[in-house]
Amino acid sequence: MSEPMKLPVRLAAPVATVRRALTDPAELRVWLAEHAEVELPHRYEFWGRHTPEGDAPHQRLLHVDDNTLRFAWLLDGVETTTEFDLRAEGPDSTVLTLTQSHFDFAAAMSGGGIRGVLQTFWSLSLANLAAHLEGDSLLPKVDFTSAEMRGEMLIDAPAAKVYESLTDSAQASAWFGYPIGIEPWVGGRYAMGGFESGHAAKVVDLEPGRRLSVDWGPIGVSTWELAESQGKTKLTFVQSGFDEQNPPYDAWAGALSGLFELRRFHEMKDWQPIWLPAEVPGLKPEVAQATS
C-alpha cells in the first residue's frame, strides 16, 4: 500500500470550534454531506449525493479524542482510513491535517475507480469547512449522482479584476497554488505546471472581461463566465463535453476547490492561502491540493 495522502490546512477558528464542526451532525450537513449522523464515541457516518459511493453510510468510527478523529471508510470494496488531526496555532487559529489512506493516484489520472476522487473531494470539503467557519458562502459541492457540472459564486470584486486573475499566468498561479501558463487568446495554451510541463490544454473561446473556455481533451471543456452584479462579480463555472458515463468528478472537485482561493484572493486585503505543504502519493507536495 502507498503512503497515505496528507492535506494540512490553516483554519481561522479555535480548536474547539473546529472540532464541533467536525462532529456536530447539523454542521456536517452544511459543509460536508447531504446526510450525517454522529453519536460519539460509537458512530460517525455521512452519506448522500455529495459523498463518493454515498448511497448509504460506509464509515466505522475507530478513535476520537479532543484533537483526533479517525474512521474507516469502505470505498470500492476497500476499507480506507481517514483521520482529522487538530493542533492549535493560536487562540483563533487551528491547523487541521487530513490523512487519507488508499488514495489511488493512478485512478485519479485515468478516471477509473472512486478512490481516485479522494484527494480533490477532501480539498473541496476542507475549503467548504474553512468557508463555513469564516461565515462565508460555500462552494458548490460535487453531485456524484449527476453528470451535470455547473456552479455559481459571487466575488466581491469588479469583473475586470476577476477576469484578469483568471487569464494572467502569475495571478492564476498564485491563487490556484500551482504554476499555470496562460496564453489568453483563442488557440493559446493553458498549461498546468507552466509552459515547460508538456501538459497544455487549449483556449477555445475567449471574450475579454466576460468568458474563457479551455479544452482539456477527455475530461471536457471548462468555461468561466463573468457578469457584473451590483459592483460584484457573478462567476458561473461549467464543465462540459465529457463522457457522461464517466464524469470527471475528481477534476470537477479540484477546480471547485480552487475557486475558494480565487474568491479570497480578491476579497482579503492581506490574502494568504489556507493550504500548507501537503503530502500526496504521486504528486509533488507543493501541488497536492491544487491538482484538478
Side-chain angles (χ1 to χ4, degrees):
M1 186 180 70
S2 64
E3 291 297 313
M5 170 188 81
K6 291 189 177 182
L7 294 176
V9 61
R10 178 179 289 112
L11 301 170
V15 167
T17 301
V18 177
R19 187 181 187 278
R20 185 170 60 249
L22 293 173
T23 57
D24 182 277
E27 293 200 48
L28 287 169
R29 293 180 204 122
V30 173
W31 67 268
L32 179 61
E34 187 178 15
H35 308 292
E37 295 294 339
V38 179
E39 296 175 6
L40 300 179
H42 306 294
R43 184 185 186 194
Y44 190 87
E45 298 176 335
F46 56 91
W47 69 101
R49 60 197 175 100
H50 302 307
T51 301
E53 291 191 349
D55 57 309
H58 297 296
Q59 298 82 27
R60 178 171 57 88
L61 186 60
L62 299 174
H63 174 80
V64 63
D65 58 34
D66 289 344
N67 296 96
T68 306
L69 172 69
R70 185 184 314 117
F71 57 89
W73 185 6
L74 187 66
L75 285 168
D76 197 23
V78 175
E79 187 168 83
T80 75
T81 302
T82 307
E83 179 176 294
F84 296 104
D85 178 76
L86 306 179
R87 292 290 178 265
E89 192 180 50
D92 297 309
S93 180
T94 299
V95 173
L96 181 157
T97 301
L98 180 284
T99 304
Q100 175 68 60
S101 75
H102 295 83
F103 167 62
D104 192 332
F105 180 73
M109 294 296 97
S110 67
I114 195 63
R115 285 182 284 119
V117 310
L118 282 170
Q119 185 262 320
T120 55
F121 166 77
W122 281 123
S123 293
L124 176 57
S125 297
L126 294 178
N128 269 332
L129 172 60
H132 171 64
L133 292 170
E134 294 174 10
D136 210 340
S137 58
L138 269 63
L139 300 160
K141 298 184 182 77
V142 175
D143 185 343
F144 290 96
T145 69
S146 173
E148 182 179 358
M149 297 185 175
R150 181 183 181 90
E152 295 180 351
M153 67 183 302
L154 200 62
I155 301 174
D156 191 4
K161 290 289 187 182
V162 177
Y163 177 82
E164 181 182 2
S165 67
L166 288 170
T167 55
D168 177 78
S169 297
Q171 292 187 49
S173 298
W175 61 260
F176 198 69
Y178 185 46
I180 304 176
I182 304 171
E183 295 173 339
W185 56 80
V186 174
R189 292 173 294 169
Y190 193 102
M192 298 300 296
F195 291 128
E196 303 305 317
S197 72
H199 180 71
K202 183 178 180 180
V203 177
V204 292
D205 188 22
L206 184 145
E207 182 180 347
R210 295 287 302 275
R211 184 173 62 254
L212 170 69
S213 293
V214 175
D215 188 347
W216 299 94
I219 65 170
V221 176
S222 300
T223 299
W224 297 263
E225 295 183 349
L226 292 78
E228 293 282 357
S229 178
Q230 297 180 340
K232 300 180 180 181
T233 300
K234 178 183 177 183
L235 174 63
T236 302
F237 184 55
V238 179
Q239 192 77 4
S240 60
F242 50 83
D243 178 4
E244 294 192 1
Q245 301 304 309
N246 187 27
Y249 293 127
D250 56 334
W252 179 238
L256 290 174
S257 67
L259 296 182
F260 177 69
E261 290 295 0
L262 171 64
R263 182 171 65 189
R264 295 175 79 251
F265 179 79
H266 286 283
E267 294 186 351
M268 297 184 68
K269 182 179 179 181
D270 298 313
W271 169 77
Q272 291 291 330
I274 64 171
W275 304 107
L276 301 171
E279 301 173 18
V280 179
L283 296 184
K284 297 178 181 178
E286 67 270 20
V287 307
Q289 71 278 339
T291 302
S292 61

